[in-house]
């Protein structure tokens, strides 16, 4: 039995056989081939090359049209390398003359070229060396088969263990068979972690390297409460996990019964609890738990699930499904937040070739440069909005000009729909995420131009503390309890109050009930949380009075370091609702 500790990101326990997806490092199963198989092996290499070139060409076209010629050029360079007759001949010579397996031959030739370029000591050539490594990976993937394909053909329950799962891979997990997952990389507020919550799959991320210990098929326990991955558990451990899980489920049922009760403090102040969703089917998770509306609908998952841009009609249907579940409650639809971690498979290479994608062309910036795509989404939202109280929200706004440009495009779409005499809602509240420090610092100016703010602490922490939300190596610095974050929130609350703009918190911070007293005490009266956290947060609200929350918030804000704040809040939460901890 072996225990590995990581970061717990979605509660619950899953027990089942391991399906290992491995890292990006391909293991070459055999290095040499028989003499009589040489021509077959050469043919296999040529077929893999043809498939790789076709794939690169497709990505080249897509990157050029979506992001511009300069991105397409990255793939054009890969394509030229893959078609270089000298390089191809060298690989084939190794297969023919030295009986090398095509995987071994391709790897040797490409690495030899890459090493030579790197050793020149020039930055430009060193970058070209990484193109060769990319090409090597791609050819090997075609020769060895894409192991992640296995995920598409599951027929029995498994626990998925992977070096990394991208948000789009996670969104496409077949929850009929995947019981839970663990990854070597990833952080608490990464989108993969958020999706684990959305799919209600126990999950642990940021475990560090452990996959070399697992062959596949071993029994695995994913403990999504404590952040443990246990390989080959003994009978005693298995038994105690089964008991503990039963207890947890009965507590969850008890908590669920809070659904119909008001989310109000002991002294009668209402704290509105909305749900965060990524998929339309999650509205049921929200209604079951008594959410009062949708505070954040992350629409980009429509693009990630299908790996292509959904049509206006497909979007209209998805939005309508959500609104129909809440016909007389607010539904905040956030426009596309693609880029950084969230990309469809087809954009993977462009994103991975971009230095600092979190600071690059993502989110609203990406949509502003792809107006056709943006307008299609806005049309679908405005049309669906006739069904209920829909509000529109822009993500990652960092300057006033961006906000104004987005609103101008919205006004164009309103005009178009009007001229086309298509039914739509003209009067719609427009709000923005506050998730970039510049937006928090200028909240006073932004508040004059929007109807509401939603504070996205996941990115706000990442950008305020300069710490990648998905990188376990810096996870110790990533904390909602950092005093700098409280100061950012205070800026936003003060501006919202002054301009009578409503404000909510929709980052993961609001889903952790230890922060409920602090947020209520700071003045928040609306929170948007991940559906499975609604009962616990409601319980926390119901255990408080506002003066108590204000006292907790005052003390928490007097502390200087995140660790002390976190310990203090945990202690207070324990006192307030001892039986939940
Ligand atoms: C956030 O950044 O807090 C947020 C809610 O947006 P996302 O997690 O989708 O980036
Ligand atoms: Mg965000």
């Amino acid at each position: 039995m072996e225990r590995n500790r990581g970061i717990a990101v979605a509660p619950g326990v899953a027990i089942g056989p391991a399906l290992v997806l491995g890292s990006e490092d391909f293991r070459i199963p055999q290095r040499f081939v028989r003499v009589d198989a040489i021509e077959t092996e050469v043919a296999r290499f040529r077929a893999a090359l043809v498939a790789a070139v076709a794939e690169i060409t497709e990505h080249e076209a897509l990157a050029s049209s979506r992001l511009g010629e300069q991105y397409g050029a990255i793939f054009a360079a890969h394509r030229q390398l893959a078609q270089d007759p000298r390089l191809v001949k060298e690989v084939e010579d190794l297969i023919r003359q030295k009986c090398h397996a095509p995987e071994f031959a391709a790897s040797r030739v490409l690495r030899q070229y890459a090493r030579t370029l790197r050793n020149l000591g020039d930055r430009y050539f060193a970058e070209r060396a990484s193109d060769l490594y990319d090409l090597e990976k791609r050819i090997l993937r075609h020769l060895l088969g894409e192991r992640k394909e296995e995920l598409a053909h599951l027929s029995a329950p498994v626990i998925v263990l992977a070096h990394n799962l991208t948000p789009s891979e996670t969104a496409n997990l077949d929850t009929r068979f995947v019981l839970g997952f663990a990854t070597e990389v990833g952080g608490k507020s990464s989108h993969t972690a958020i999706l684990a919550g959305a799919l209600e799959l126990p999950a642990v991320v940021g475990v560090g390297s452990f996959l070399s210990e697992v062959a596949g098929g071993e029994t695995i326990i994913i403990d999504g409460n404590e952040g443990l991955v246990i390989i080959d558990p003994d009978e005693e451990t298995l038994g105690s996990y089964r008991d503990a899980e039963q207890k947890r489920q009965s507590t969850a049922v008890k908590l669920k019964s809070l659904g119909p009760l008001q989310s109000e403090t002991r002294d009668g102040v209402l704290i509105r609890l909305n749900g965060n969703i990524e998929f339309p089917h999650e509205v049921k998770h929200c209604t079951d738990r008594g959410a009062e509306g949708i505070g954040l609908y992350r629409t980009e998952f429509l693009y990630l699930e299908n790996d292509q841009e959904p049509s206006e009609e497909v979007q209209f249907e998805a939005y309508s499904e959500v609104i129909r579940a809440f016909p007389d409650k607010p539904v905040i639809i956030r426009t596309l937040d693609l880029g950084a971690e969230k990309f469809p498979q087809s954009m993977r290479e462009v994103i991975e070739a971009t230095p600092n994608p979190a600071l690059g062309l993502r989110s609203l910036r990406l949509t502003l440069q792809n107006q056709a795509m943006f307008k299609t989404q806005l049309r679908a939202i405005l049309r669906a909005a006739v069904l209920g109280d829909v509000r529109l929200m822009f993500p990652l706004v960092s300057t006033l000009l961006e906000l104004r440009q987005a609103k101008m495009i919205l006004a164009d779409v309103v005009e178009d729909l009007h001229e086309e005499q298509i039914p739509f809602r003209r009067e719609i509240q427009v709000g923005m995420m506050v998730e970039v420090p510049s937006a928090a610092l200028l909240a006073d100016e932004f508040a004059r131009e929007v109807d509401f703010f939603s504070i996205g602490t996941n990115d706000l922490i990442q950008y305020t503390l300069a710490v990648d939300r998905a990188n376990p190596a810096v996870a110790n610095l990533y904390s909602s309890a950092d005093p700098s974050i409280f100061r950012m929130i205070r800026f936003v609350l003060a501006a919202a109050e002054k301009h009578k703009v409503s404000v909510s918190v929709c980052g993961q911070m609001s889903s952790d009930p230890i922060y409920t007293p602090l947020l209520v005490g700071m003045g928040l009266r609306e929170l948007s949380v991940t559906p499975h956290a609604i009962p616990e947060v409601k319980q926390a609200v119901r255990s408080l009075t506002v003066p108590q929350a204000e006292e907790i918030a005052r003390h928490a804000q007097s502390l200087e370091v995140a660790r002390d704040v976190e310990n203090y809040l945990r202690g207070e939460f324990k006192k307030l609702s001892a039986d939940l901890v």
Side-chain angles (χ1 to χ4, degrees):
M1 177 165 93
E2 192 191 304
R3 280 170 193 268
N4 295 277
R5 188 166 282 284
I7 305 169
V9 292
V13 168
I15 303 174
L19 170 68
V20 187
L21 297 177
S23 73
E24 285 293 319
D25 295 318
F26 295 90
R27 278 176 223 105
I28 296 176
Q30 58 173 48
R31 293 173 155 223
F32 297 98
V33 293
R34 291 197 324 266
V35 180
D36 59 359
I38 280 176
E39 285 316 311
T40 321
E41 294 296 321
V42 170
R44 201 159 68 78
F45 169 63
R46 287 189 180 166
L49 203 58
V50 168
V53 169
E55 190 179 72
I56 299 171
T57 311
E58 208 178 289
H59 290 179
E60 184 183 340
L62 202 77
S64 303
S65 69
R66 281 215 188 143
L67 302 168
E69 296 295 325
Q70 70 276 33
Y71 289 95
I74 298 170
F75 294 101
H78 288 198
R79 184 171 45 72
Q80 278 158 14
L81 280 172
Q83 291 174 318
D84 183 295
R86 214 181 106 188
L87 195 143
V88 173
K89 182 171 180 311
E90 273 187 50
V91 176
E92 294 191 2
D93 282 354
L94 281 180
I95 304 174
R96 287 209 170 91
Q97 292 159 17
K98 302 216 160 153
C99 292
H100 279 10
E103 292 86 352
F104 187 37
S107 185
R108 272 192 73 175
V109 170
L110 286 160
R111 286 190 174 214
Q112 178 62 45
Y113 274 101
R115 252 195 312 273
T116 311
L117 284 179
R118 260 225 318 254
N119 290 345
L120 290 176
D122 175 289
R123 219 175 116 210
Y124 175 79
F125 288 121
E127 278 167 16
R128 299 288 71 76
S130 54
D131 288 342
L132 285 155
Y133 287 125
D134 279 350
L135 181 61
E136 179 206 6
K137 263 196 212 167
R138 190 188 297 280
I139 294 175
L140 287 182
R141 204 181 318 125
H142 281 283
L143 282 167
L144 294 166
E146 174 64 272
R147 302 190 69 197
K148 288 190 177 175
E149 282 289 299
E150 287 178 46
L151 273 179
H153 305 111
L154 293 175
S155 55
V158 288
I159 302 279
V160 171
L161 304 178
H163 173 66
N164 188 19
L165 285 175
T166 63
S168 79
E169 285 161 351
T170 315
N172 287 302
L173 288 177
D174 184 344
T175 47
R176 287 173 308 161
F177 299 114
V178 176
L179 304 173
F181 70 82
T183 57
E184 293 191 320
V185 299
K188 197 170 181 59
S189 299
S190 62
H191 290 98
T192 299
I194 291 170
L195 278 170
L199 299 169
E200 311 219 327
L201 284 177
V204 179
V205 303
V207 182
S209 116
F210 77 103
L211 289 177
S212 53
E213 308 301 320
V214 198
E218 295 94 328
T219 298
I220 303 289
I221 299 177
I222 299 285
D223 177 347
N225 309 316
E226 297 298 322
L228 287 173
V229 181
I230 304 175
I231 304 166
D232 273 333
D234 54 31
E235 273 312 311
E236 197 188 330
T237 310
L238 271 173
S240 69
Y241 263 101
R242 288 192 178 118
D243 290 350
E245 183 50 13
Q246 252 175 11
K247 270 194 211 130
R248 197 192 70 85
Q249 280 179 7
S250 64
T251 312
V253 170
K254 246 195 274 169
L255 279 171
K256 237 178 169 174
S257 66
L258 290 173
L261 298 179
Q262 289 271 38
S263 168
E264 65 178 6
T265 58
R266 277 183 19 234
D267 48 347
V269 176
L270 287 177
I271 309 294
R272 192 181 182 92
L273 290 186
N274 294 322
N276 289 348
I277 60 167
E278 288 71 34
F279 309 106
H281 74 257
E282 282 181 272
V283 287
K284 172 125 178 53
H285 299 169
C286 297
T287 47
D288 278 358
R289 289 159 172 126
E292 290 173 57
I294 299 297
L296 169 64
Y297 175 12
R298 291 181 165 100
T299 56
E300 54 278 6
F301 287 94
L302 265 178
Y303 293 65
L304 300 186
E305 259 185 317
N306 304 312
D307 204 29
Q308 60 185 357
E309 188 183 332
S311 66
E312 184 179 322
E313 280 322 299
V314 167
Q315 296 190 52
F316 172 75
E317 277 311 316
Y319 306 151
S320 302
E321 184 180 339
V322 174
I323 303 162
R324 278 192 209 104
F326 289 97
D328 47 8
K329 302 273 176 63
V331 170
I332 299 181
I333 303 184
R334 182 175 76 178
T335 61
L336 258 183
D337 186 29
L338 278 181
E341 288 184 282
K342 285 181 281 195
F343 47 82
Q345 275 308 93
S346 49
M347 272 172 71
R348 182 184 190 127
E349 313 226 356
V350 177
I351 299 280
E352 287 181 350
T354 308
N356 297 323
L359 301 180
L361 194 60
R362 67 167 286 211
S363 198
L364 186 62
R365 301 161 186 186
L366 186 89
T367 27
L368 288 177
Q369 288 199 18
N370 288 272
Q371 287 199 19
M373 184 164 79
F374 195 23
K375 284 185 170 177
T376 303
Q377 177 170 42
L378 293 174
R379 286 173 68 94
I381 296 174
L382 291 181
R383 284 176 51 207
V386 296
L387 300 170
D389 177 6
V390 172
R391 300 166 190 193
L392 186 71
M393 178 158 75
F394 298 123
L396 208 85
V397 178
S398 46
T399 69
L400 278 159
L401 276 184
E402 278 174 328
L403 174 66
R404 289 176 189 156
Q405 201 186 342
K407 285 172 75 174
M408 266 159 52
I409 295 171
L410 176 65
D412 284 350
V413 171
V414 166
E415 274 317 298
D416 291 348
L417 288 170
H418 176 69
E419 271 169 28
E420 292 168 41
Q421 299 187 342
I422 294 175
F424 73 103
R425 183 184 287 274
R426 181 184 281 271
E427 293 311 321
I428 190 164
Q429 284 197 24
V430 176
M432 61 180 269
M433 299 277 301
V434 181
E435 51 183 346
V436 182
S438 61
L441 295 169
L442 294 183
D444 203 28
E445 283 75 5
F446 279 107
R448 298 193 184 106
E449 306 196 17
V450 290
D451 298 308
F452 63 91
F453 285 142
S454 189
I455 305 175
T457 48
N458 304 338
D459 277 314
L460 190 60
I461 298 167
Q462 155 162 280
Y463 294 125
T464 303
L465 289 159
V467 50
D468 184 340
R469 62 195 267 188
N471 184 345
V474 284
N476 61 325
L477 293 172
Y478 187 97
S479 173
S480 305
D482 197 89
S484 61
I485 303 306
F486 303 161
R487 195 165 297 183
M488 290 287 173
I489 295 176
R490 282 207 301 274
F491 275 125
V492 185
L493 287 171
E497 158 106 65
K498 182 168 153 197
H499 297 279
K500 302 288 166 253
V501 158
S502 65
V503 59
S504 159
V505 173
C506 67
Q508 293 299 98
M509 178 184 191
S510 59
S511 298
D512 185 342
I514 73 162
Y515 292 103
T516 310
L518 170 85
L519 294 172
V520 171
M522 288 179 88
L524 280 141
R525 295 293 176 264
E526 190 173 334
L527 303 172
S528 191
V529 309
T530 199
H532 66 75
I534 293 173
E536 268 191 294
V537 174
K538 190 186 280 189
Q539 175 87 330
V541 167
R542 292 176 61 85
S543 68
L544 277 173
T545 63
V546 169
Q548 235 177 344
E550 285 170 350
E551 180 49 30
I552 292 173
R554 197 195 54 70
H555 186 73
Q557 289 176 85
S558 73
L559 300 171
E560 289 176 341
V561 293
R563 199 193 45 208
D564 294 346
V565 177
E566 233 176 275
N567 288 338
Y568 168 68
L569 291 177
R570 209 172 290 288
E572 289 304 302
F573 175 66
K574 209 167 177 168
K575 282 192 242 157
L576 284 167
S577 45
D579 56 353
L580 278 185
V581 179

